Amino acid sequence: GGITNDTVSGAATALTVLQDVAQRLGITLLSARSPDQPDFYLVLGGDGSVLRAVHTVGNSFIPLVNINIGSLGYLTCAGLDDIEKVLKCLLDGTYRVSERSMLKASAIDENGQIIVPEIFALNDLVAMRSDSGRIVSIDLIVDGVDVTAFLCDGLIVATPTGSTAYSLSAGGPIVLPETNALIVNVICPHTLTSRPLVLPDTSNIILRISRAHSQLSFSADGQVCSTLKAGDSIHISGAAHKVRLVMLPGHNHFTALSHKLNWSGTLLK
């Protein structure tokens, strides 16, 4: 099955190339309306397209084959120039499936009323101030323990996959994507001593808005789900299901970090 981001420049051309190569190799591409279940979902786009595809297919066990026609493409396995190589790997079975953890969350108000029902995220969940220049106070509770309170612009809870997204920009650690962990990271903390936390992926996390002069935005994978106010809380845990991403032979995460994000050690030899 194919999932294409039509807003990406060159999407129509990429789809034509995919169709031509698939036909030459004897591969049947199913339309989005087909009642048949595909062996793979082929995603044409960038990282945003991959995130949208993850939310489109839900908790399907079917692997995603992500072809980059966007900009960064950190979550993709190859570019359009390698589409024939990708399809041959699928035919030959010479690919690897990388299983990625997801987050599950819901939000409730101080009276226990549901604000946001159960949602999922592959990269991150973010609560941050939206229309005010004043900082907020957010309590962090992990497995029933009141850990601390942060005076900050907001908090990020990220998966290992999301450790190289918004959390990285906020000074968070790089965590290899198949690690069993969760990252809690503060956005612009009003202190010199705040550092990100890496927690077991079995942790149950509560973010409680203890003080806010205006509403906060609550988003999952960059999409705003709701606004929050003082007294509201977000309940976060690891999701039961994982996302399965196809990687080509020879792929390793350190090469991806170097090529995509210019990560390196010393420049001296």
Side-chain angles (χ1 to χ4, degrees), residues 158-169:
T159 64
T161 298
S163 72
T164 50
Y166 189 14
S167 179
L168 182 68
S169 300

Side-chain angles (χ1 to χ4, degrees), residues 132-149:
S132 170
R134 303 179 72 175
I135 60 176
V136 299
S137 179
I138 303 177
D139 300 334
L140 173 65
I141 302 163
V142 179
D143 294 332
V145 177
D146 287 313
V147 177
T148 191

Side-chain angles (χ1 to χ4, degrees), residues 177-210:
E178 291 161 5
T179 306
N180 296 322
L182 301 175
I183 300 104
V184 178
N185 199 5
V186 193
I187 305 169
C188 297
H190 192 246
T191 176
L192 296 176
T193 58
S194 179
R195 302 299 301 161
L197 290 173
V198 178
L199 303 174
D201 64 354
T202 55
S203 302
N204 291 297
I205 300 168
I206 298 176
L207 307 182
R208 184 173 57 218
I209 315 304
S210 55

Side-chain angles (χ1 to χ4, degrees), residues 37 40 42 62 75 97 161 164 176 179 212 216 229 231 240 244:
Q37 181 170 284
F40 304 93
L42 297 171
I62 299 171
L75 297 175
V97 173
T161 298
T164 50
L176 293 187
T179 306
L216 286 75
K229 64 183 185 307
R244 308 179 77 223

Side-chain angles (χ1 to χ4, degrees), residues 2-15 44-46 49 52 69:
I3 302 173
T4 305
N5 185 356
D6 295 329
T7 64
V8 175
S9 177
T13 301
L15 182 58
L44 298 177
S49 304
R52 280 188 288 272
I69 59 171

